[in-house]
Structures are given as structure tokens and as C-alpha cells.
């Protein structure tokens, strides 16, 4: 479940966010001429709070997602060609999920689901990770999942980003905090039936989701208004660079495409849009980096790198204006924080 800063600062932040999103486009993205891994709309009326994304390893062009909050033990396979749900997986043996916020796929082909949300920032002394093999055939099914108990070495906290390293299989969680969160590293191997302690190994900004590149050398982290891509080596964060994240109403999720050439950004809401953004240094990308997908969504959310005069003449202006507004929002946000600190 998404959460915003509370108190007067939170009220101002919500108002600023609403103002910014006026420039983000009025509708969701739509499928792009039947090609996979392009901008698409999640059509399933059951999926109204898509809070995580993971690109399938077994089924090209398919993305796994889930609702947050207490929706139940369900995971959905969505076809990026049509936006239709191809399979609904019901997890068995995991109790009652509280706040599912992240999803990732490990090198073993297993799907990891993070029941790691805690909007009260420490009300739960433990959270859970669920794990099951990615189905070989896409059809509705009930699967038995393994449940892992998770605690943080430095105390309970809220988190929305779960990432499994595609080479080592190690699980990472990025916590979410108004003043910046932490990157937490799990044990080399998760163990069922005992507590798995995650330890802080890095500092990160406000994070709503994250994902490793398929080769494991990059880690993308997104927030409501921006995204960054970090070099990742030996389990630690390296140099980072901004990614041209799209402006979305309720920016929640991110994953790399299975080939690593682009990032897919998702949001919450009924018929929410998923937007493709090319990444710098991705396989076969050359110098054409950080840009939106080849065909902009019709009347929907657009990537932050659209060019002026492209398509219907709306995207470039909105992106530029949105970027300018974002700078103003950031400046005002910092001013409000300083004022609060002096109060």
C-alpha cells in the first residue's frame, strides 16, 4: 500500500504531487501494435493496485504483477502485447498476506513475492517473503509457496522494493523513508522455519520499487517522481545516474525487460499504464539511451525523454513542462523541509 509523508509536510507534498501530475497525461498507456515489451495497459479489472512488476523468464513479453494491501495471495501474469491477464496464481500455505509490495524472479526461475509493506514504519516486528517456481504453462492454478520470515538487523521498517540478484540469488530489500532509506541484504540463502535477518549495506533515496538488470551489474530504483540506475558489484552500490522515468499518477513499480534493453515503469489504479524506457548501455542500445518507447502511448502516460514535436505534439511539451514543474516541486519540497526543521 502506498504511503506518503505525514503531517503538514505530507499535506503539502500531496498537493504538490497533484499539481505535477496535471502535466503527466490524462490516460493510461496502450499496447503498441502487438509487439511485446512495449507500452501497455493492464486490462484486468481485478488489478487496481499494481505495486510490483517482474519480467517473466519463461514466457517472453509476459509480466508478473500483484495488488498491494490485503488483496489476498494472488499473482497475475499479464501479456504486454494485449494487456490481458493470461494466468492467475493463488499461493497456498502462506497465511494471510498483509501488504504485498514487491516481486522478483531469481536465477533458479522461482518467483519471489515480498509481503514487506509497513505503513506504520515499525508496527510489525517481522515481514514475509513468498517463493514458488514460475509456471511452465500459463493458466489459472494454485501453487504451494514457501514462506520466509524476515527481520531487519536495525529494527522494523516500511519497504516496497524486493530484488533478487539474477546471478547469486541473494535477496535485497530497499526500505522506504521520507528522509531516505536503506538497501538491505539477506543471507546467502533464505531458510524456511527460522528468521532471516537482513542487514543494511547501503543508503538509498525514497524508493517505491527496484529491479536488477538481467546480468546483475545494475540496480534500478524508482520513487514517485524519479528513478536512478546504480552500478552493482560484489553486493554493493556503485556510481549512479538518472533514468528518464515517466510521469505517472501513482508511480509504484519498475522492472527490466528480460533482455535488459529497457525499463518498464508501472503505476497503480484501474487500467493502469506500463511505460517502456530505453536504458543507457543496454544490449543493442548504442547511444540512443534514456528515451521512451518507439511509439508513444495514445493519450496516455509518456516517458520523460520524449522529444518536442513528436507524435501528436503533446508529449514533448508535457515532458519539458513536467520536468520544469518537477524542479520547482523539488525546490519547494526542500524549502518546506528546512522550514519544518527550524519550527
Amino acid at each position: 500500500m502506498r504511503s506518503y509523508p505525514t503531517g503538514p509536510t505530507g499535506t503539502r507534498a500531496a498537493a504538490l504531487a497533484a499539481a505535477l501530475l496535471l502535466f503527466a497525461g490524462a490516460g493510461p498507456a496502450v499496447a503498441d501494435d502487438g509487439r511485446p515489451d512495449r507500452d501497455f495497459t493492464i486490462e484486468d479489472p481485478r488489478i487496481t493496485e499494481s505495486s510490483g512488476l517482474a519480467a517473466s523468464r519463461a514466457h517472453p513479453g509476459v509480466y508478473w504483477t500483484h495488488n498491494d494491501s490485503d488483496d489476498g495471495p494472488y499473482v497475475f501474469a499479464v501479456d504486454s502485447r494485449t494487456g490481458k491477464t493470461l494466468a492467475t496464481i493463488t499461493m497456498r500455505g502462506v497465511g494471510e498476506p498483509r501488504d504485498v509490495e514487491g516481486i522478483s524472479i531469481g536465477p533458479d526461475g522461482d518467483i519471489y513475492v515480498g509481503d514487506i509493506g509497513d505503513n506504520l514504519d515499525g508496527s510489525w516486528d517481522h515481514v514475509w517473503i513468498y517463493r514458488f517456481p514460475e509456471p511452465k504453462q500459463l493458466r489459472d492454478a494454485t501453487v504451494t509457496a514457501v514462506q520466509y520470515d524476515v527481520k531487519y538487523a536495525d529494527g522494523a521498517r516500511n519497504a516496497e522494493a524486493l530484488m533478487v540478484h539474477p546471478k547469486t540469488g541473494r535477496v535485497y530489500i530497499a526500505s522506504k523513508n521520507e528522509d531516505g532509506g536503506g538497501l538491505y541484504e539477506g543471507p546467502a540463502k533464505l531458510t524456511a522455519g527460522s528468521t532471516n535477518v537482513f542487514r543494511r549495506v547501503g543508503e538509498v533515496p525514497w524508493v517505491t520499487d527496484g529491479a536488477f538488470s538481467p546480468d546483475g551489474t545494475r540496480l534500478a530504483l524508482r520513487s514517485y517522481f524519479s528513478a536512478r540506475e546504480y552500478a552493482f558489484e560484489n553486493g554493493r552500490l556503485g556510481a549512479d545516474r538518472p533514468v528518464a522515468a515517466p510521469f505517472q499518477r501513482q508511480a509504484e513499480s519498475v522492472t527490466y525487460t528480460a533482455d535488459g534493453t529497457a525499463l518498464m515503469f508501472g503505476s497503480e489504479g484501474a487500467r493502469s499504464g506500463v511505460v517502456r524506457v530505453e536504458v543507457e548501455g543496454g544490449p543493442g542500445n548504442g547511444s540512443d539511451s534514456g528515451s521512451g518507447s518507439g511509439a508513444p502511448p495514445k493519450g496516455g502516460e509518456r516517458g520523460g525523454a520524449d522529444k518536442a514535436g513528436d507524435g501528436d505534439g503533446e508529449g514533448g511539451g508535457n515532458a519539458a513542462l513536467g520536468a520544469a514543474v518537477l524542479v520547482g516541486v523539488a525546490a519547494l519540497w526542500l524549502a518546506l523541509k528546512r522550514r519544518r526543521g527550524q519550527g
Side-chain angles (χ1 to χ4, degrees), residues 258-316:
D259 62 6
T261 61
L263 285 162
M264 304 293 284
F265 290 90
S267 62
E268 289 191 1
R271 300 192 75 250
S272 59
V274 178
V275 179
R276 175 187 174 107
V277 174
E278 307 297 323
V279 295
E280 182 178 349
N285 276 350
S287 60
D288 184 16
S289 61
S291 60
S293 63
K298 300 175 179 65
E301 298 152 342
R302 302 180 63 99
D306 286 339
K307 297 178 182 179
D310 185 28
D312 56 10
E314 178 183 328

Side-chain angles (χ1 to χ4, degrees), residues 4-20 178 225 329 333 336:
Y4 297 90
T6 57
T9 300
T11 301
R12 298 185 187 103
L16 292 171
L20 174 62
E178 176 184 346
F225 301 123
V329 167
W333 172 260
L336 290 172

